[in-house]
Amino acid sequence: MVEKEVIVKNTLGIHARPATQFVKIASKYSCEVYVIKDGIEVNGKSIMSLLILTATKGSKLTIRCSGPDEEKALKELVDLVEGGFGED
């Protein structure tokens, strides 16, 4: 299992488009992906679960991956969040 904390940088936070991007990347990998915010852990391969987190700009998230390709998945997901989902 690998995990990393990231800060949401884009102005609008994780709304439908960033959530879709996140799930699209997470679903490419066979490992389990979880996102944790304020003690709430959700499935990182579910758009609705990510939206429930209401992660606004400045929110601290932990991305946790567990499985055979966990390192690659974590790196790509961290890059997505730290890159502001290509917004701003």
Side-chain angles (χ1 to χ4, degrees):
M1 178 181 70
V2 294
E3 65 180 39
K4 184 166 183 176
E5 283 189 3
V6 293
I7 302 292
V8 176
K9 296 181 177 177
N10 58 315
T11 303
L12 298 176
I14 299 183
H15 56 88
R17 194 179 77 74
T20 301
Q21 288 179 290
F22 192 97
V23 168
K24 191 176 285 187
I25 290 171
S27 296
K28 291 188 330 187
Y29 297 97
S30 60
C31 64
E32 299 291 326
V33 177
Y34 297 98
V35 179
I36 302 136
K37 177 182 172 258
D38 299 331
I40 299 171
E41 179 178 295
V42 299
N43 181 349
K45 294 183 178 181
S46 164
I47 292 171
M48 290 306 295
S49 293
L50 290 175
L51 293 176
I52 286 171
L53 292 176
T54 59
T56 57
K57 182 178 182 178
S59 294
K60 186 188 309 182
L61 305 176
T62 301
I63 301 171
R64 180 179 294 157
C65 300
S66 178
D69 47 9
E70 62 192 23
E71 294 283 348
K72 287 182 180 178
L74 182 64
K75 181 184 182 326
E76 193 168 352
L77 292 168
V78 166
D79 288 348
L80 176 68
V81 176
E82 290 184 340
F85 298 91
E87 297 183 340
D88 297 336

